Amino acid sequence: MALFNKASIQLSLKLFKIRKPLQLVIFDKLFSKFILNLNNLNDSISKFHEDGFVKINLNIKNEIRNILKNLKINEEQKNPLLYYQITDEVKTQINVILNEKLKETLNTLEVYFNSKIMTAMINIRRNSHYKKNNFSHELYSDNFHNDAYALTHFKMFINLMDIREENGPMHLISKKNTKKFFERINYKDRHNYNENININDLLYNNIGKEGEILLFDPTQCYHRATIPSLGCHRDYCIITFICLPKKINLKKNSLDQVNIYNYEKNPLIKYAKPHSLFNTLKTFIKYL
């Protein structure tokens, strides 16, 4: 299965310049043609559709301030990628962001995706400096890649501090620049491309102020974390969303009680990551 999966990914790279199994690319093509609703898109969703990412203009300063006051980190963690403990006080503020501040945006996205949108996962992380020994030495996704899910899996990144170049911001390649990106750096795979080529004109550098929100499709946009300078770090919150078929019965399918702070055995994932062509087509049909 692993060998077949690798061959499928290589075929997707060759044919479509997407690094994920071929059945997921097929799902994306079908979903884009038959499910996505491109009528009357507002400016933000139109840019998201065209580029694969867009900054969402919302004022969540009070919520971020309250989150920062209640964040706790396990000092025993040694990995340069650290996870914050999400306390009940933090969860309260996240609920305000999700259910009040982001309500209109999520409603608009439900129209665009022609689907129900569910929060699948939330985590709060810190990237700290580390010395990269070689190209394959990768501690927090700092080589260019795209996530191996269908496009029904998307994310929001929230800055929990002002992010400057020294903090190791995320780099993104818009969908429109993918071909130029591939050709210029001779991209073969995650650990096989020319990292010494200047691609600054193709990059979006996600620097910004505390509280800024990036709506982002990690399944179609190549992206990477960058490594913070020595003595610097980047704190951020990731909210992962999954699109579900409109007619699905959440209770019947045990989707109404998902623990969004624990990704283990998350029942939502199967809708964004079917593992065979048959299951992919079966999943797609549910959205019709």
Side-chain angles (χ1 to χ4, degrees):
M1 179 62 79
L3 187 62
F4 176 82
N5 199 52
K6 185 176 181 180
S8 178
I9 291 172
Q10 289 302 312
L11 190 57
S12 294
L13 282 165
K14 185 177 180 64
L15 295 177
F16 301 106
K17 297 178 171 54
I18 296 291
R19 187 189 177 278
K20 58 185 180 183
L22 187 60
Q23 72 266 16
L24 297 181
V25 179
I26 292 172
F27 180 97
D28 289 354
K29 298 292 184 184
L30 292 172
F31 197 95
S32 296
K33 183 173 180 60
F34 296 106
I35 308 298
L36 285 185
N37 179 6
L38 304 183
N39 296 320
N40 302 315
L41 300 182
N42 63 31
D43 290 344
S44 291
I45 303 305
S46 180
K47 180 171 175 55
F48 173 67
H49 176 73
E50 292 174 7
D51 291 339
F53 58 87
V54 66
K55 283 284 181 75
I56 301 297
N57 185 21
L58 286 179
N59 183 353
I60 57 171
K61 291 180 180 178
N62 289 336
E63 290 76 22
I64 295 299
R65 191 177 301 118
N66 289 328
I67 285 173
L68 293 174
K69 283 193 304 185
N70 291 284
L71 278 182
K72 296 179 181 179
I73 198 163
N74 184 348
E75 299 297 339
E76 294 180 359
Q77 294 184 76
K78 301 300 183 183
N79 195 313
L81 174 58
L82 305 177
Y83 286 83
Y84 281 97
Q85 299 175 34
I86 301 183
T87 63
D88 289 340
E89 292 83 3
V90 171
K91 290 178 182 179
T92 297
Q93 299 305 313
I94 289 174
N95 285 338
V96 172
I97 293 172
L98 282 172
N99 299 325
E100 298 180 22
K101 297 301 181 74
L102 282 172
K103 183 177 180 180
E104 184 176 343
T105 299
L106 292 174
N107 286 343
T108 304
L109 284 166
E110 285 195 334
V111 174
Y112 166 69
F113 281 107
N114 205 10
S115 308
K116 290 181 180 179
I117 291 177
M118 297 283 290
T119 306
M121 179 63 186
I122 295 175
N123 56 52
I124 298 178
R125 312 199 306 200
R126 167 175 289 185
N127 290 6
S128 299
H129 175 81
Y130 81 96
K131 185 176 180 181
K132 194 175 177 75
N133 296 326
N134 55 62
F135 201 26
S136 296
H137 181 215
E138 187 182 9
L139 297 187
Y140 41 68
S141 299
D142 40 279
N143 291 343
F144 276 111
H145 66 286
N146 57 263
D147 294 1
Y149 294 88
L151 62 76
T152 48
H153 175 281
F154 66 94
K155 296 181 177 181
M156 291 185 187
F157 276 64
I158 303 177
N159 293 346
L160 297 183
M161 57 187 290
D162 290 350
I163 306 296
R164 303 180 180 88
E165 194 62 44
E166 59 266 27
N167 300 114
M170 182 167 62
H171 285 173
L172 300 94
I173 303 295
S174 74
K175 293 192 291 185
K176 293 184 293 188
N177 283 336
T178 298
K179 183 177 179 181
K180 291 180 181 178
F181 164 78
F182 250 66
E183 292 173 350
R184 191 177 302 180
I185 70 171
N186 194 25
Y187 192 96
K188 302 297 184 184
D189 208 341
R190 185 176 191 140
H191 302 119
N192 185 5
Y193 61 86
N194 191 339
E195 59 178 332
N196 298 314
I197 299 294
N198 188 325
I199 55 171
N200 288 341
D201 59 314
L202 303 179
L203 283 175
Y204 177 78
N205 194 4
N206 191 35
I207 57 176
K209 297 292 186 181
E210 178 184 293
E212 286 188 0
I213 303 172
L214 181 77
L215 171 63
F216 166 47
D217 179 354
T219 75
Q220 299 194 81
C221 290
Y222 281 88
H223 59 285
R224 67 175 178 186
T226 57
I227 300 174
S229 301
L230 185 64
C232 297
H233 63 268
R234 172 165 63 104
D235 287 348
Y236 56 102
C237 174
I238 304 176
I239 307 177
T240 301
F241 299 93
I242 300 286
C243 301
L244 298 177
K246 281 184 174 181
K247 298 177 183 178
I248 195 166
N249 186 318
L250 299 180
K251 187 172 183 178
K252 182 180 179 181
N253 289 274
S254 302
L255 301 176
D256 57 338
Q257 299 296 327
V258 172
N259 182 356
I260 61 176
Y261 298 101
N262 184 355
Y263 216 40
E264 293 295 324
K265 298 180 180 178
N266 190 316
L268 293 168
I269 298 305
K270 65 181 181 181
Y271 291 91
K273 200 165 189 174
H275 290 291
S276 69
L277 181 58
F278 174 78
N279 284 332
T280 298
L281 295 176
K282 184 178 177 181
T283 299
F284 168 73
I285 288 170
K286 294 178 181 178
Y287 291 87
L288 293 173

